[in-house]
Amino acid sequence: MTDDTKPEVFTSYAQNFEDVVLWRALKHVPVGLYIDIGAQHPVLDSVSKAFYEHGWRGIHVEPVPHYAAMIREDRPGEQVLQVALSEQEGVMELYVIGNSGLSTGVKAFAELHQEKHGFAHEVIQTPVLTMKTAFASLAGRDVHWLKIDVEGFEEQVLRGWDSKTLRPWIIVIEATVPMSTELRYEGADRVLVDSGYEFAYFDGLNRFYVAAEHRELATKLQVPPNVFDEAQLSGLSGTWCVGAVARVRAEMQDAVNQLSTLRDQAIAKVHHAEERALQAEAKAAQAEAKAALVEARVVQLNAQTAQSEARASQADVRMGRAEERAKHLEARVALAEERARLAERTLGRRLITAARDGRLLEGGKRRVKSALRLSATAVNRSPALGKAARSIIGLIPPLKRRLSAVLATESTTVATPGSDTQSPDTLITLRQLAQSQRGQESP
């Protein structure tokens, strides 16, 4: 801890202002060293806490496991010995009274506390060292103060001390029977005086001793704590702050009650919010299900739409082809109509021309003659057909006369040399018809 981080005001945590008296005598030491035997709680009623805040460091001896663990957590960088101290090393029975500083190695005191105050205790086996062994590493070093508060076991602790190698400047020991004003310090006082220490101050609970080589500090210890020490209370010491602590506890209880009410209200609100959240989640699930159905329907409709579009595209293609075919057919119809009109006009002109030139009559004659020729050929080949033809001609006098006239004309034409009006086939046919006619007339 640097000077900048040290508190400007000294705050007292000790139960009887032991730390204020020690600070008055030792505040000129920049960074001191202390030993706290029976340290108990790291803050409540602690003699060392204020010195720790001002940069001092030390060694704590605390056999109760619970408090030893608390000190380790609160005081990083300090050594904690979880043992008991006595004049002989080994193992001893420790009578642990929970949640208090009354744990002791004296069975009679543990039973007295239970009898008078109802404080139950449990017995644990605790390793024991002597002060000489426990603090061997401090031999020859300046230890500025040492405090012993072991509930009636102070003399046994001091009898395991080597006062030649370890000489704290100031030693503070508890001097009364636990939880009483009855003095009990004679054995410890003899050890200290024999070791070269001088009594300096009694505060009603503790006796302060000064090493002979530092007796100049005695004058600083002979005055009780007062306003000129410029110390302030932490509000955590057990005796002097009972009223303040009670008021603070009452205020804290009120605050706890208010917080409990607020917590209950908050829990109710949380439950209500959770119910609403569950309802909202249910509605959201329903909405999601509906959305899924809608999405499925949309997918189906999209597929149907795609199929319809594909069919529409095919229909468009087919319609386009049909329209092309219709246009092609219309063009062909128009062309046919145009050709028919042209043929009608051509045929009409040709008929008019043929009639005017006599070709229409001549053509008819040629076709009639050709028909007669074919008929004569057929008659010549089939007697039955010839007989039938003669019968028919006989029944039609106009045809008979016309045929006789044609035969006469054709005979004359045949007798005229160089005539090429009729073909040989036609002449043969006519002759056959004439012979057939004459044969029919002779009977």
Side-chain angles (χ1 to χ4, degrees):
M1 180 179 292
T2 64
D3 292 338
D4 293 337
T5 59
K6 292 179 181 179
E8 296 181 358
V9 179
F10 185 86
T11 300
S12 174
Y13 295 89
Q15 64 176 339
N16 203 39
F17 302 107
E18 298 93 334
D19 50 359
V20 176
V21 176
L22 289 170
W23 182 251
R24 185 197 303 149
L26 298 171
K27 63 183 176 181
H28 63 282
V29 179
V31 179
L33 177 63
Y34 52 79
I35 298 174
D36 193 349
I37 301 174
Q40 206 242 339
H41 199 284
V43 178
L44 301 179
D45 296 338
S46 173
V47 176
S48 63
K49 177 65 173 179
F51 287 87
Y52 183 83
E53 290 179 343
H54 282 264
W56 288 44
R57 294 295 180 266
I59 297 177
H60 302 269
V61 179
E62 177 51 59
V64 178
H66 172 65
Y67 289 123
M70 292 181 66
I71 296 171
R72 291 190 184 97
E73 183 178 357
D74 186 74
R75 306 286 184 87
E78 292 196 311
Q79 185 179 0
V80 179
L81 301 178
Q82 190 176 324
V83 298
L85 299 180
S86 185
E87 56 187 323
Q88 293 181 349
E89 297 184 356
V91 178
M92 66 175 290
E93 290 184 343
L94 181 67
Y95 301 88
V96 178
I97 300 175
N99 298 320
S100 74
L102 300 174
S103 298
T104 180
V106 182
K107 181 179 181 181
F109 288 156
E111 292 175 345
L112 182 63
H113 291 324
Q114 186 169 5
E115 180 182 346
K116 293 184 64 174
H117 307 290
F119 297 155
H121 62 267
E122 64 172 324
V123 181
I124 65 173
Q125 299 296 313
T126 303
V128 180
L129 297 177
T130 63
M131 283 182 62
K132 180 179 180 179
T133 300
F135 307 127
S137 62
L138 300 178
R141 292 184 60 184
D142 284 332
V143 176
H144 299 94
W145 62 259
L146 180 147
K147 182 267 289 181
I148 305 174
D149 180 3
V150 289
E151 302 302 310
F153 213 67
E154 288 78 11
E155 182 181 353
Q156 289 89 328
V157 172
L158 286 171
R159 289 193 181 281
W161 167 42
D162 182 356
S163 62
K164 293 181 175 62
T165 59
L166 180 66
R167 296 192 62 79
W169 293 10
I170 302 173
I171 296 178
V172 181
I173 65 169
E174 191 173 51
T176 66
V177 174
M179 295 192 71
S180 77
T181 59
E182 180 184 350
L183 295 178
R184 188 178 183 274
Y185 64 88
E186 292 82 2
D189 182 77
R190 283 193 299 270
V191 174
L192 289 168
V193 171
D194 292 345
S195 299
Y197 279 77
E198 301 173 358
F199 171 72
Y201 175 64
F202 175 61
D203 64 2
L205 176 64
N206 306 284
R207 288 173 66 89
F208 289 72
Y209 293 82
V210 178
E213 60 270 29
H214 294 285
R215 61 172 50 97
E216 75 279 1
L217 299 176
T219 58
K220 299 289 187 179
L221 301 175
Q222 293 172 353
V223 179
N226 56 77
V227 295
F228 297 108
D229 289 314
E230 297 181 348
Q232 65 181 10
L233 298 178
S234 66
L236 301 175
S237 60
T239 303
W240 298 100
C241 300
V242 171
V245 169
R247 288 192 296 272
V248 171
R249 286 179 177 174
E251 293 175 357
M252 291 179 64
Q253 187 60 46
D254 290 341
V256 169
N257 293 337
Q258 292 178 4
L259 289 174
S260 178
T261 301
L262 293 175
R263 182 194 63 184
D264 293 340
Q265 294 175 353
I267 291 174
K269 289 182 179 180
V270 168
H271 289 165
H272 181 63
E274 289 177 349
E275 291 178 357
R276 294 181 62 186
L278 291 175
Q279 294 175 357
E281 289 177 356
K283 290 182 179 180
Q286 294 177 356
E288 290 176 354
K290 290 182 179 179
L293 293 175
V294 171
E295 290 179 356
R297 181 58 179 165
V298 168
V299 171
Q300 183 180 8
L301 291 176
N302 288 337
Q304 293 178 355
T305 301
Q307 293 176 357
S308 299
E309 290 178 351
R311 292 174 63 185
S313 298
Q314 295 175 357
D316 290 340
V317 172
R318 293 174 62 185
M319 184 178 295
R321 292 176 180 175
E323 290 177 352
E324 290 294 329
R325 291 179 62 187
K327 290 179 181 179
H328 181 65
L329 291 174
E330 289 176 356
R332 291 179 61 184
V333 168
L335 179 60
E337 290 176 349
E338 181 64 27
R339 292 177 63 182
R341 287 193 295 272
L342 180 60
E344 289 176 357
R345 290 194 297 270
T346 302
L347 179 58
R349 287 195 298 271
R350 291 177 65 184
L351 289 174
I352 294 171
T353 302
R356 186 175 55 246
D357 296 338
R359 290 195 306 274
L360 182 58
L361 182 59
E362 291 296 331
K365 290 180 178 181
R366 283 195 302 270
R367 285 174 175 78
V368 172
K369 290 179 180 180
S370 177
L372 290 176
R373 178 179 58 80
L374 292 175
S375 298
T377 302
V379 169
N380 187 41
R381 291 178 180 177
S382 177
L385 185 60
K387 183 177 180 180
R390 288 191 296 271
S391 298
I392 292 171
I393 292 172
L395 295 174
I396 305 173
L399 179 58
K400 181 180 178 180
R401 288 192 299 271
R402 181 60 179 167
L403 184 57
S404 298
V406 169
L407 290 174
T409 304
E410 292 298 333
S411 298
T412 305
T413 303
V414 172
T416 303
S419 175
D420 57 356
T421 304
Q422 301 294 335
S423 65
D425 292 336
T426 301
L427 294 176
I428 293 170
T429 299
L430 293 175
R431 290 191 188 97
Q432 290 175 350
L433 288 174
Q435 292 174 2
S436 177
Q437 179 65 30
R438 285 193 299 269
Q440 186 178 1
E441 292 176 353
S442 57

